[in-house]
Amino acid sequence: MSARYKKLFSLEHRLYASHAPVLIESGALLLEQESGTLLCQLCFRSIQDRPVKAIRAVVQMLDAQGLPLGKLVEHRYQELDLQREDICGRDIAIVLPSSEAASFTAKILQVSFADGEVWAEKAPWEPLPEQYTLEDHFVSAEEVYRYQRRFGEDCVFDPLETEELWFCTCGAVNANTEGRCHRCRRKRSALLGKGPELPPTEDAEEAEYRAQPFLPEKLPPRIRGFAIGAAALVLLGILALVLIPRLHGGSTKADTAEMPAVAAAAVTEDPADAALQAAYEEALALQAKAEADPDDYALYLSAAEAFEALGAYEDSADRAAQCREQLVLLNEAVLQEDYAAAQELLSQRRYSEAREAFLALGDYEDSAEQADEALYQKALGLYHFVEDNSVRGITASLSSNSKTESLVSIPRERLLKLGQTGLRELEELFGQDPVVFTAAEEESEMLPLPDALVSLLEPLGDYKDSKDLAAQLPELVDQSDAFFELCEAGELEEARDWLEAWDKPFEDKELWLERVDRCLAVDGTWYFLNGDPSLVPSIGGIHEKYYTIICKVSLSQEGAVLRILLDEKNETGPELFAELDNDCFRLEDGAIGYLVQLSPGGSLGVNKTENGNIIGGAAFGRSWG
């Protein structure tokens, strides 16, 4: 790090939230020493296959006591093309508004994908356990050697498993639904099922290795380098004993006889041949070990590469071909295994996971078609629900990704209409895919359920009748808003005409026609018949007698509102409210109340009450009495 910056704090562990597509790999608090500005740097790593185009993160500054300091600081990382295992953020600094921050916490609020879908945070960001290197995990270098002999020389870390993730010995991060490491293709069960225990038996090569002295495990690098250098000097000394006499005219039989056995062998054997033979024997050992564990892809790959490096030496080419043939068989077996696993996911109605598993198989058998089938089954069930139920007001953001939850917002009145049975039916249609139901619309952009379903069907193209379903969905969209807008505006005649002319499904159509007729019976001009002509004006605080009143009624899904005007110009008359399917309009003003209701004979009665007792009244008719 440049002397210009001083590191004040670092995140101790990687951070992860349940189902998150990205890890917070690291984070640091830096002081820019020239200006005294505090900066925060975050580094993110993608852990799934979908390209990421944007990340929205926030930082909470903490003071020296670890208490929150100021507001959350938000930063958006835009125009990304983050593929799996890619990292970003290392070259971006977030300027913090307070110079008193001593540390911070961080989390990701949203991740936007290249396909337009958005993952939103639903769970807390928590530290992941540390993954130790093999050198830190094992006691001795001998155990590291034996572990790498078993699982491969590129093994670096002790495998680790959490609730949702597993970390391979090669360092790659995998989902627990992945049976093999996406990077090195080692089996999760082989690495984690048995744990990092070493094989109980050893072959001759391992026995020979165990007989050799080992350097202390924790030697400082400089001392370790010296020890290795000393060993090299010993080897050079032996070579000098062998080669110098030959450079000066060769050795006699007597000279050779007096040499140590190892030196004599070096004189009589070509070093290049010895190296080839040693490499050949090493390749043979790898092949033998692979044949002893015929499911180990990494061992066969190492053996094939070892033989290929030997070229035409002995039968290396044939043996390389044998190993490659076995790799083809293993690869086919892996594909069959993964295909069967994907089919099992589909049978369990884990639609998104099954789709991803089939897509990962590429053009193997009918995997592409099965990937479409997984999404189609989910979409078809939702289509029939929209077809059979009124979904007015229901909005959704439907996901086809196993790491992103679908969001469904159902207004309270619609939830009451659906009931527990309808809600369970809708929830069941998502199978095992993650879905969240809410009664309030989420912050993220959501579409009416039929429109969201069109978006879900679009990726299927011509698969089965997907295009036809998408084309038919607009006809199923509840277009009753026009009716309710007329009702709420008090244009009841027009609302009735609209509903009578509507020839598509309309929930409770006959009931709404009755409600409109009930309101129309009150709506309009009324003339005084008998009673107290000053009663209605007194409702609005006017102490005069009026013999004509005008009723204006509006209707909504919550109820009906009656506004009484004393003449055409009076637009601020008193308002009385009637619940749906209730003929009586009411206005309560403390102990005093007013009731307006049609009589069986068709007249309009207005009563004044005090503590529930009628203390005055007036009657009105459609014409003068």
Side-chain angles (χ1 to χ4, degrees), residues 65 210 235 429:
Q65 286 74 43
R210 286 168 57 85
L235 178 59
L429 295 175

Side-chain angles (χ1 to χ4, degrees), residues 166 168 170 172 174 179-186 188:
W166 67 277
C168 183
C170 72
N174 303 278
R180 289 181 179 269
C181 174
H182 75 275
R183 183 198 295 171
C184 70
R185 302 304 295 165
R186 288 184 176 89
R188 173 188 172 198

